[in-house]
Amino acid sequence: MELDKRPAGDDGEGCLVGIVRVPVKIVALIVVLPVRVVWDLLVACGRAARRHVLGPFCAYVLQPVLRGIVRVLTVLLELVFVWPWIGLWRYLLQPLYAYLLAPVGRGLYAYLLRPLGEALAWAGRGGMRYLLAPLAKGVAWLLRALAMTLFVWPWVGLWRYVLVPIGRGLAWAGAVSYRYVLTPVGQALAWTGALFYRYLLRPLGLGVYRYLLAPLGQALVWAWHVAGRIVRVVWRGVRLVGWVLVGLPAAQVYRYVLTPVGHVVRDVWRTVRNTVREVRAEVRKALFGSPAREPARSRARTLGSTTAVGETPSAPEISWRKRG
């Protein structure tokens, strides 16, 4: 970190700098310094309490007590919710199942349920083969015959003996009418339409296009160009009026009002910043006894200036001839 080397003597600061710097120093000494000292004392006390009181108390008292409580609760929960059910299963339910329920179940299955199931299966197979299968075939045949009688054979007879002859007669009549009626009538209508288009519609369309639509289109194009020129002239006038009424006053306000105000705000901000740096350096020197050190100012250019911040203006250049 570079040290800020300021030239000794007057900085050329005006009364505005002094008026702003003195209150800032007073506020910093009255408010910032006590608050900083109290905060450092609180932080130091908190760290000491954590290191010498809370840490040993938690490690040697609180953690063993919590471990003992957790262990006691674990044993109590096992006594209440785990061991009774384990004992019930091991000494009552498992022997009851192994020596009573399992032999009884195996005997019932071997000597009652299995023979009964085999007898029911044999009876079902015999009933299915000699009773239900013939009955189902007879019912299916009756249903098929009934469905054919009601829904198939009437429609087949209607199609074969009514609709097919009528369709053949209509097709023959249509072919005869197309050949000897519709074809001559169509040819006559086509010849009449060709004559009507050739000697009436085409000359009428050409006359309407040549003597009405073409002159009207030319007039519309001319009117469009004239309207474009008029709109262009009106837009130029509106733009000139807008510049005179809005743009020029805004430029004048920015140049002669906002720019000076910005320069004043910049000077005040620079003064406040320098004052705060000086107060911080003096407080550090008073507390620690070390010489005040400030970080080097940035080399960025300031608003409306051609030199970098903190950079002393260089001496004017003088030629060797004038120096001699």
Side-chain angles (χ1 to χ4, degrees), residues 235-253:
W235 171 249
R236 290 179 180 175
V238 170
R239 187 172 60 181
L240 180 60
V241 171
W243 167 250
V244 172
L245 295 179
V246 179
L248 185 59
Q252 297 297 326
V253 168

Side-chain angles (χ1 to χ4, degrees), residues 23-34:
V24 171
K25 284 185 177 182
I26 293 173
V27 171
L29 290 174
I30 294 176
V31 178
V32 177
L33 183 61

Side-chain angles (χ1 to χ4, degrees), residues 223-279:
W224 178 264
H225 287 297
V226 171
R229 293 183 180 180
I230 293 173
V231 169
R232 189 181 304 167
V233 172
V234 171
W235 171 249
R236 290 179 180 175
V238 170
R239 187 172 60 181
L240 180 60
V241 171
W243 167 250
V244 172
L245 295 179
V246 179
L248 185 59
Q252 297 297 326
V253 168
Y254 174 77
R255 180 177 297 175
Y256 298 105
V257 177
L258 297 180
T259 301
V261 170
H263 290 171
V264 171
V265 171
R266 180 197 60 192
D267 295 337
V268 171
W269 169 251
R270 186 184 299 171
T271 303
V272 172
R273 184 180 60 187
N274 295 335
T275 304
V276 171
R277 287 182 177 177
E278 291 178 0
V279 169

Side-chain angles (χ1 to χ4, degrees), residues 281-304:
E282 291 177 1
V283 170
R284 184 182 299 171
K285 183 177 180 180
L287 291 177
F288 301 103
S290 60
R293 293 184 179 181
E294 291 291 334
R297 299 180 182 177
S298 74
R299 298 300 179 180
R301 297 185 181 276
T302 58
L303 180 63

